[in-house]
Amino acid sequence: MLPKWRSLEWSPLRRERKARLLSFHRAGKATCPLRAGATMSTRPPMRPPGSVPAVLLGFQPALALTGALCLQQNLGSSSPSKKQSKENTITINCVTFPHPDTMPEQQLLKPTEWSYCDYFWADKKDSQGNGTVAGFELLLQKQLKGKQMQKEMSEFIRERIKIEEEYAKNLAKLSQNSLAAQEEGSLGEAWAQVKKSLADEAEVHLKFSAKLHSEVEKPLMNFRENFKKDMKKCDHHIADLRKQLASRYAAVEKARKALTERQRDLEMKTQQLEIKLSNKTEEDIKKARRKSTQAGDDLMRCVDLYNQAQSKWFEEMVTTTLELERLEVERVEMIRQHLCQYTQLRHETDMFNQSTVEPVDQLLRKVDPAKDRELWVREHKTGNIRPVDMEI
């Protein structure tokens, strides 16, 4: 049996809408097509093409209630049909979800991809357990943490640059050291090349540190300089939509309460008419009926506005979470590319360092102790006439 407020005089449009909604509800459908001009929306108003990814344009938000279902949920009647409808949905923090006991199977928006747009609709208890954190807020925290990690990587590379610069400075200084400068011959030439190779290696490390700065550290530091500001704008936008949704839900609750009061007043005046306590009861019943009908219309209007607000929030969540997902992929790829550049520079540095010691290897292979002895003897000999025995 339907509640009394639904058995009152309705406009033809409302009667048609009610009949359609009831028929589709009995058939187990969550939404139904209304005739042109009907004001109750059972699907979110779609954005202009391009504002939502084309792959998602065919999806409807599974969170939105139809007006009739929401009315049945909020009226809280004991009739079987309304009890069944009430169990179809559950509202948590002003967001309406399918009831877990009667939840229809929902297809993911991006199956098999573990996409942000599929897994962050509900709120989550914070670490202290004192409140909740919106799913979107977790995604923002992930983005900001990624930005911080990127900054710390840049600082790490800067420290690496300092080490390279200090190392190059010490190598250059050591190359000017005069120790063993008096070594002679082929060994002396090899030793001199060893010292020269230090100066060459110092130059290689200076170039390496310069490239690290321009090709790794600086890009990491400057990537998305205004990222935090952009994320703050994004956060405010979604938060405003969530606040609007909460306001619409409060309006629905207020309208539901007003309808209950109007219904109670109508029942009381009907009882007074039955026992004929007042001559004005019939007139009062007409007024109460009009007020009850108006309260029902107000509730339907509030439900419709709530569904519109939730649809708007849904669309913005899908669009924005997909954008955050794209930004995260872009960040990871950017860091990977620059770390690959770091390893490439390291390989080049090793190659150049190897080139600095090749002349040393060549000279060391030419070191000949016998030749060195010959050269030294030729230069420093004092005479090749050997002593003989003394004669008497």
Side-chain angles (χ1 to χ4, degrees), residues 48 95 116 138 215:
V95 179
Y116 289 168
L138 291 176
E215 299 179 22

Side-chain angles (χ1 to χ4, degrees), residues 183-383:
E183 180 62 55
E184 301 174 334
S186 58
L187 182 60
E189 293 178 4
W191 176 246
Q193 187 60 44
V194 168
K195 296 169 66 176
K196 182 179 184 300
S197 70
L198 294 184
D200 296 338
E201 187 178 353
E203 185 66 22
V204 169
H205 284 278
L206 279 178
K207 290 180 179 179
F208 175 52
S209 65
K211 287 187 176 182
L212 277 182
H213 172 70
S214 61
E215 299 179 22
V216 181
E217 180 212 353
K218 191 174 180 180
L220 285 175
M221 179 60 69
N222 295 337
F223 184 66
R224 295 177 184 164
E225 291 181 337
N226 299 321
F227 187 71
K228 288 186 177 180
K229 185 182 295 183
D230 294 339
M231 288 298 99
K232 191 173 182 179
K233 291 180 181 178
C234 186
D235 185 20
H236 287 169
H237 177 60
I238 297 298
D240 288 343
L241 291 176
R242 189 69 183 268
K243 289 178 182 178
Q244 184 180 20
L245 183 61
S247 175
R248 296 300 188 191
Y249 180 75
V252 169
E253 289 296 295
K254 183 178 179 180
R256 180 198 61 79
K257 183 178 179 181
L259 177 60
T260 301
E261 293 175 353
R262 294 300 182 190
Q263 195 61 34
R264 188 181 298 112
D265 182 58
L266 178 59
E267 291 175 356
M268 182 184 66
K269 286 182 170 54
T270 302
Q271 292 174 1
Q272 291 177 355
L273 176 63
E274 291 174 354
I275 60 178
K276 298 181 180 180
L277 293 179
S278 172
N279 294 331
K280 297 182 179 181
T281 303
E282 291 186 10
E283 183 65 26
D284 291 342
I285 287 178
K286 291 181 180 179
K287 291 181 179 179
R289 182 175 296 147
R290 287 195 297 269
K291 291 180 179 180
S292 180
T293 301
Q294 181 61 47
D297 290 342
D298 290 342
L299 180 54
M300 293 187 71
R301 179 182 59 82
C302 289
V303 168
D304 194 44
L305 291 174
Y306 169 84
N307 285 337
Q308 292 179 26
Q310 184 167 254
S311 296
K312 177 66 174 177
W313 173 73
F314 172 88
E315 292 182 2
E316 291 296 328
M317 277 285 290
V318 171
T319 303
T320 308
T321 54
L322 286 177
E323 176 63 13
L324 294 182
E325 187 176 300
R326 184 193 67 80
L327 291 174
E328 177 63 9
V329 171
E330 184 179 76
R331 182 189 75 89
V332 172
E333 282 298 318
M334 182 277 299
I335 293 176
R336 185 190 68 82
Q337 291 175 6
H338 285 89
L339 291 182
C340 285
Q341 180 64 15
Y342 166 79
T343 60
Q344 178 63 28
L345 291 174
R346 280 288 291 114
H347 291 316
E348 292 178 0
T349 300
D350 292 342
M351 182 181 64
F352 290 136
N353 281 336
Q354 182 63 31
S355 68
T356 64
V357 297
E358 286 178 358
V360 178
D361 289 336
Q362 294 174 1
L363 289 175
L364 288 175
R365 285 192 291 269
K366 294 179 179 179
V367 171
D368 185 351
K371 185 66 175 178
D372 287 354
R373 185 173 63 251
E374 176 187 350
L375 293 175
W376 188 84
V377 169
R378 285 180 179 275
E379 182 178 355
H380 299 283
K381 65 182 179 178
T382 58

Side-chain angles (χ1 to χ4, degrees), residues 98-124:
H99 196 285
D101 295 338
T102 59
M103 180 170 56
E105 184 178 356
Q106 288 184 334
Q107 182 182 1
L108 296 176
L109 299 179
K110 300 183 72 176
T112 73
E113 295 188 29
W114 291 95
S115 175
Y116 289 168
C117 68
D118 278 318
Y119 295 98
F120 292 90
W121 292 106
D123 297 341
K124 184 178 182 180

